[in-house]
């Protein structure tokens, strides 16, 4: 069942979402060559708390950290560690916050210093695909219109869409129905209605779409070891179109 939210509930959800956005924004300055992914986590966790929220990830199905930090060929769910970032790395940071019973979830991939032209293009196309998907999140459309718009933009640009992980409804739970694949046939799936709150999150690989999960039980990596990018927003479907909740300002 897809839970629809009232205007009031969407306003409550906007608070954890806003914290997520502010944390991601401040991480842009923190993510740099020489820092460890654990230092990034520690910065993010204090920032989440000082803004009045709590990590939605810590302890979720036993996940051991407050945020996910996935470097280069790591697609999602990278566990912060003593790994030090190098110039040229691509760092996907995924942040989830809970506040007053509502969840917010968003991710960005940040380039460390100068990255190759091809890597810069991977980031650009992935972020654009997120916005293409959000653009389809309007009343009357169907769910896979979002999926299809993402897939089309990614594949037109020669990259591939991860199948193993999908976006999701979000609200009083971090993961609610529906699942939102980043691929699929336009015109199918449930009709989008005002009050739906969705975490749309394309994961895009430079090479093959295939991924595997490492022995730690979490870290997903590309099968061909080529790079991956991930952008995510929590949005609300409204009368006047999609509203991005995980946005600063
Ligand atoms: N942002 C991720 C998602 O949308 C959640 C990370 S999984 C966790 O599914 F275990 F780290 F919480
Ligand atoms: Co998510």
């Amino acid at each position: 069942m897809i839970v629809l939210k009232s205007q009031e509930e969407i306003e409550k959800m906007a608070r954890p979402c806003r914290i997520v956005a502010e944390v991601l924004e401040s991480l842009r300055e923190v993510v740099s060559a020489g820092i460890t992914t654990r230092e990034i986590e520690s910065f993010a966790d204090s920032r989440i708390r000082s803004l009045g929220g709590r990590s939605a990830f810590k302890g979720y199905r036993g996940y051991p950290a407050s945020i996910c930090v996935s470097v280069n060929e790591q697609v999602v769910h990278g566990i912060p560690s003593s790994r030090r970032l190098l110039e040229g790395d691509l760092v996907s940071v995924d942040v989830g916050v809970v506040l007053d019973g509502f969840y917010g979830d968003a991710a960005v991939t940040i380039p460390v210093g100068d990255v190759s032209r091809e890597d810069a293009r991977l980031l650009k196309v992935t972020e654009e695909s997120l916005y293409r998907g959000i653009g389809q999140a309007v009343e009357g459309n169907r769910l896979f219109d979002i999926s299809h718009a993402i897939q089309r933009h990614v594949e037109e640009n020669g990259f591939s869409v991860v199948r193993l992980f999908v976006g999701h409804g979000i609200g009083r739970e971090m993961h609610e129905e529906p699942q939102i694949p980043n691929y699929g046939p336009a015109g199918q799936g449930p009709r989008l209605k005002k009050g739906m709150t969705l975490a749309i999150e394309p994961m895009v690989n430079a090479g093959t779409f295939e991924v595997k999960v490492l022995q730690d039980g979490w870290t997903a990596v590309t099968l061909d070891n080529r790079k991956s990018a991930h952008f995510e927003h929590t949005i609300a479907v409204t009368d006047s179109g999609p509203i991005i909740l995980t946005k600063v300002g």
Side-chain angles (χ1 to χ4, degrees), residues 91-107:
V91 183
S92 299
V93 189
D94 192 343
V95 173
V97 166
V98 57
L99 176 61
D100 273 343
F102 283 96
Y103 285 81
D105 186 9

PDB file of all heavy atoms in Angstrom, residues 91-107:
ATOM      1  N   VAL A  91      33.141  10.257  -4.833  1.00  0.00           N
ATOM      2  CA  VAL A  91      32.668   9.850  -3.509  1.00  0.00           C
ATOM      3  C   VAL A  91      31.153  10.056  -3.394  1.00  0.00           C
ATOM      4  O   VAL A  91      30.672  11.187  -3.384  1.00  0.00           O
ATOM      5  CB  VAL A  91      33.370  10.669  -2.407  1.00  0.00           C
ATOM      6  CG1 VAL A  91      32.935  10.192  -1.033  1.00  0.00           C
ATOM      7  CG2 VAL A  91      34.876  10.547  -2.550  1.00  0.00           C
ATOM      8  N   SER A  92      30.439   8.948  -3.306  1.00  0.00           N
ATOM      9  CA  SER A  92      28.989   9.033  -3.133  1.00  0.00           C
ATOM     10  C   SER A  92      28.670   9.030  -1.646  1.00  0.00           C
ATOM     11  O   SER A  92      29.058   8.117  -0.923  1.00  0.00           O
ATOM     12  CB  SER A  92      28.292   7.846  -3.805  1.00  0.00           C
ATOM     13  OG  SER A  92      28.560   7.858  -5.184  1.00  0.00           O
ATOM     14  N   VAL A  93      27.970  10.076  -1.224  1.00  0.00           N
ATOM     15  CA  VAL A  93      27.596  10.198   0.177  1.00  0.00           C
ATOM     16  C   VAL A  93      26.079  10.132   0.272  1.00  0.00           C
ATOM     17  O   VAL A  93      25.379  10.891  -0.398  1.00  0.00           O
ATOM     18  CB  VAL A  93      28.084  11.537   0.770  1.00  0.00           C
ATOM     19  CG1 VAL A  93      27.883  11.538   2.273  1.00  0.00           C
ATOM     20  CG2 VAL A  93      29.530  11.786   0.436  1.00  0.00           C
ATOM     21  N   ASP A  94      25.587   9.207   1.076  1.00  0.00           N
ATOM     22  CA  ASP A  94      24.143   8.991   1.229  1.00  0.00           C
ATOM     23  C   ASP A  94      23.788   9.268   2.687  1.00  0.00           C
ATOM     24  O   ASP A  94      24.397   8.703   3.600  1.00  0.00           O
ATOM     25  CB  ASP A  94      23.836   7.536   0.844  1.00  0.00           C
ATOM     26  CG  ASP A  94      22.350   7.254   0.669  1.00  0.00           C
ATOM     27  OD1 ASP A  94      21.524   8.059   1.141  1.00  0.00           O
ATOM     28  OD2 ASP A  94      22.025   6.219   0.066  1.00  0.00           O
ATOM     29  N   VAL A  95      22.830  10.168   2.890  1.00  0.00           N
ATOM     30  CA  VAL A  95      22.476  10.604   4.243  1.00  0.00           C
ATOM     31  C   VAL A  95      20.975  10.423   4.462  1.00  0.00           C
ATOM     32  O   VAL A  95      20.159  10.854   3.635  1.00  0.00           O
ATOM     33  CB  VAL A  95      22.864  12.088   4.451  1.00  0.00           C
ATOM     34  CG1 VAL A  95      22.342  12.612   5.789  1.00  0.00           C
ATOM     35  CG2 VAL A  95      24.384  12.265   4.375  1.00  0.00           C
ATOM     36  N   GLY A  96      20.624   9.794   5.564  1.00  0.00           N
ATOM     37  CA  GLY A  96      19.222   9.660   5.950  1.00  0.00           C
ATOM     38  C   GLY A  96      19.042  10.191   7.360  1.00  0.00           C
ATOM     39  O   GLY A  96      19.873   9.935   8.232  1.00  0.00           O
ATOM     40  N   VAL A  97      17.966  10.966   7.560  1.00  0.00           N
ATOM     41  CA  VAL A  97      17.720  11.574   8.870  1.00  0.00           C
ATOM     42  C   VAL A  97      16.280  11.296   9.292  1.00  0.00           C
ATOM     43  O   VAL A  97      15.367  11.321   8.461  1.00  0.00           O
ATOM     44  CB  VAL A  97      17.975  13.102   8.809  1.00  0.00           C
ATOM     45  CG1 VAL A  97      17.400  13.808  10.040  1.00  0.00           C
ATOM     46  CG2 VAL A  97      19.469  13.390   8.681  1.00  0.00           C
ATOM     47  N   VAL A  98      16.111  11.014  10.585  1.00  0.00           N
ATOM     48  CA  VAL A  98      14.763  10.899  11.141  1.00  0.00           C
ATOM     49  C   VAL A  98      14.579  12.006  12.174  1.00  0.00           C
ATOM     50  O   VAL A  98      15.496  12.317  12.942  1.00  0.00           O
ATOM     51  CB  VAL A  98      14.523   9.477  11.736  1.00  0.00           C
ATOM     52  CG1 VAL A  98      15.537   9.127  12.798  1.00  0.00           C
ATOM     53  CG2 VAL A  98      13.098   9.332  12.261  1.00  0.00           C
ATOM     54  N   LEU A  99      13.399  12.629  12.128  1.00  0.00           N
ATOM     55  CA  LEU A  99      13.073  13.684  13.086  1.00  0.00           C
ATOM     56  C   LEU A  99      11.563  13.642  13.323  1.00  0.00           C
ATOM     57  O   LEU A  99      10.789  13.693  12.353  1.00  0.00           O
ATOM     58  CB  LEU A  99      13.507  15.050  12.542  1.00  0.00           C
ATOM     59  CG  LEU A  99      13.140  16.270  13.384  1.00  0.00           C
ATOM     60  CD1 LEU A  99      13.767  16.226  14.762  1.00  0.00           C
ATOM     61  CD2 LEU A  99      13.553  17.555  12.667  1.00  0.00           C
ATOM     62  N   ASP A 100      11.167  13.576  14.592  1.00  0.00           N
ATOM     63  CA  ASP A 100       9.723  13.547  14.930  1.00  0.00           C
ATOM     64  C   ASP A 100       8.946  12.505  14.142  1.00  0.00           C
ATOM     65  O   ASP A 100       7.820  12.762  13.694  1.00  0.00           O
ATOM     66  CB  ASP A 100       9.101  14.921  14.666  1.00  0.00           C
ATOM     67  CG  ASP A 100       9.251  15.834  15.866  1.00  0.00           C
ATOM     68  OD1 ASP A 100       9.531  15.318  16.973  1.00  0.00           O
ATOM     69  OD2 ASP A 100       9.091  17.056  15.681  1.00  0.00           O
ATOM     70  N   GLY A 101       9.574  11.342  13.935  1.00  0.00           N
ATOM     71  CA  GLY A 101       8.845  10.249  13.291  1.00  0.00           C
ATOM     72  C   GLY A 101       8.802  10.294  11.775  1.00  0.00           C
ATOM     73  O   GLY A 101       8.162   9.448  11.153  1.00  0.00           O
ATOM     74  N   PHE A 102       9.478  11.270  11.173  1.00  0.00           N
ATOM     75  CA  PHE A 102       9.526  11.332   9.709  1.00  0.00           C
ATOM     76  C   PHE A 102      10.956  11.239   9.187  1.00  0.00           C
ATOM     77  O   PHE A 102      11.904  11.693   9.846  1.00  0.00           O
ATOM     78  CB  PHE A 102       8.882  12.621   9.202  1.00  0.00           C
ATOM     79  CG  PHE A 102       7.384  12.570   9.232  1.00  0.00           C
ATOM     80  CD1 PHE A 102       6.688  13.097  10.309  1.00  0.00           C
ATOM     81  CD2 PHE A 102       6.673  11.975   8.200  1.00  0.00           C
ATOM     82  CE1 PHE A 102       5.300  13.044  10.351  1.00  0.00           C
ATOM     83  CE2 PHE A 102       5.287  11.912   8.229  1.00  0.00           C
ATOM     84  CZ  PHE A 102       4.591  12.446   9.309  1.00  0.00           C
ATOM     85  N   TYR A 103      11.057  10.668   8.001  1.00  0.00           N
ATOM     86  CA  TYR A 103      12.361  10.390   7.407  1.00  0.00           C
ATOM     87  C   TYR A 103      12.637  11.268   6.193  1.00  0.00           C
ATOM     88  O   TYR A 103      11.720  11.649   5.461  1.00  0.00           O
ATOM     89  CB  TYR A 103      12.424   8.925   6.951  1.00  0.00           C
ATOM     90  CG  TYR A 103      12.574   7.963   8.106  1.00  0.00           C
ATOM     91  CD1 TYR A 103      11.461   7.578   8.860  1.00  0.00           C
ATOM     92  CD2 TYR A 103      13.817   7.461   8.462  1.00  0.00           C
ATOM     93  CE1 TYR A 103      11.591   6.702   9.927  1.00  0.00           C
ATOM     94  CE2 TYR A 103      13.953   6.585   9.523  1.00  0.00           C
ATOM     95  CZ  TYR A 103      12.845   6.214  10.257  1.00  0.00           C
ATOM     96  OH  TYR A 103      12.980   5.353  11.314  1.00  0.00           O
ATOM     97  N   GLY A 104      13.941  11.534   6.003  1.00  0.00           N
ATOM     98  CA  GLY A 104      14.415  12.175   4.775  1.00  0.00           C
ATOM     99  C   GLY A 104      15.645  11.429   4.315  1.00  0.00           C
ATOM    100  O   GLY A 104      16.397  10.904   5.138  1.00  0.00           O
ATOM    101  N   ASP A 105      15.877  11.389   3.014  1.00  0.00           N
ATOM    102  CA  ASP A 105      16.941  10.558   2.446  1.00  0.00           C
ATOM    103  C   ASP A 105      17.428  11.212   1.155  1.00  0.00           C
ATOM    104  O   ASP A 105      16.608  11.546   0.295  1.00  0.00           O
ATOM    105  CB  ASP A 105      16.328   9.170   2.165  1.00  0.00           C
ATOM    106  CG  ASP A 105      17.323   8.114   1.698  1.00  0.00           C
ATOM    107  OD1 ASP A 105      18.535   8.365   1.734  1.00  0.00           O
ATOM    108  OD2 ASP A 105      16.848   7.026   1.300  1.00  0.00           O
ATOM    109  N   ALA A 106      18.735  11.427   1.050  1.00  0.00           N
ATOM    110  CA  ALA A 106      19.277  11.977  -0.198  1.00  0.00           C
ATOM    111  C   ALA A 106      20.738  11.605  -0.332  1.00  0.00           C
ATOM    112  O   ALA A 106      21.388  11.225   0.653  1.00  0.00           O
ATOM    113  CB  ALA A 106      19.114  13.497  -0.253  1.00  0.00           C
ATOM    114  N   ALA A 107      21.239  11.697  -1.548  1.00  0.00           N
ATOM    115  CA  ALA A 107      22.636  11.353  -1.809  1.00  0.00           C
ATOM    116  C   ALA A 107      23.192  12.227  -2.923  1.00  0.00           C
ATOM    117  O   ALA A 107      22.440  12.690  -3.790  1.00  0.00           O
ATOM    118  CB  ALA A 107      22.745   9.878  -2.211  1.00  0.00           C
TER     119      ALA A 107
END
